[in-house]
Amino acid sequence: MKGSVKSFSLIPISFCFLFLFRDEFAVPARHLCHPQQREAILEFKNEFQIQKPCSGWTVSWVNNSDCCSWDGIACDATFGDVIELNLGGNCIHGELNSKNTILKLQSLPFLETLNLAGNYFN
């Protein structure tokens, strides 16, 4: 036929595009922290006192049950395990009892980074 325009469907092309670039558009899965790890972090924090006045962010931890969203906490994106505990410069003071501290931190088996710098430990 003279002058006819061949038409094609954009639907298969759209599916191919979405399939090829699905990782670019996907929302990463968000994992909540494990309850036993949350409790271990709170117990560790409660071993000490926060010196006032302080703008320490651990004060806000109790308002949210997901420790992976807490300031100073980093979790593994795949499994939700706590991998970083950053308490640096948080006006924490008290006695650092190694036996109790180690027992609390044993509930964080994937912990890679622990920052306690800039606090006031005995």
Side-chain angles (χ1 to χ4, degrees):
M1 264 178 130
K2 189 176 181 179
S4 70
V5 176
K6 292 185 178 182
S7 64
F8 59 92
S9 175
L10 292 177
I11 294 173
I13 294 171
S14 299
F15 281 122
C16 289
F17 179 79
L18 288 174
F19 179 75
L20 290 172
F21 297 102
R22 71 180 179 270
D23 291 336
E24 299 299 321
F25 299 112
V27 176
R30 185 151 160 7
H31 293 279
L32 300 176
C33 70
H34 302 285
Q36 69 275 17
Q37 292 182 7
R38 177 186 182 274
E39 292 306 314
I41 294 168
L42 289 174
E43 287 176 15
F44 179 79
K45 177 192 165 253
N46 290 335
E47 290 282 319
F48 309 103
Q49 296 177 358
I50 305 292
Q51 191 171 345
K52 305 289 182 189
C54 184
S55 61
W57 26 258
T58 59
V59 176
S60 66
W61 286 1
V62 294
N63 296 329
N64 184 346
S65 63
D66 178 21
C67 65
C68 290
S69 66
W70 292 348
D71 291 329
I73 306 291
C75 293
D76 176 78
T78 305
F79 300 107
D81 293 304
V82 175
I83 57 173
E84 181 178 330
L85 181 55
N86 180 359
L87 298 175
N90 208 10
C91 304
I92 298 172
H93 71 96
E95 185 174 333
L96 189 59
N97 182 334
S98 61
K99 185 177 180 182
N100 284 342
T101 302
I102 291 171
L103 289 176
K104 303 280 188 277
L105 296 179
Q106 283 180 341
S107 295
L108 305 173
F110 299 98
L111 188 65
E112 298 171 359
T113 304
L114 175 62
N115 180 4
L116 299 174
N119 291 297
Y120 312 98
F121 296 112
N122 304 3

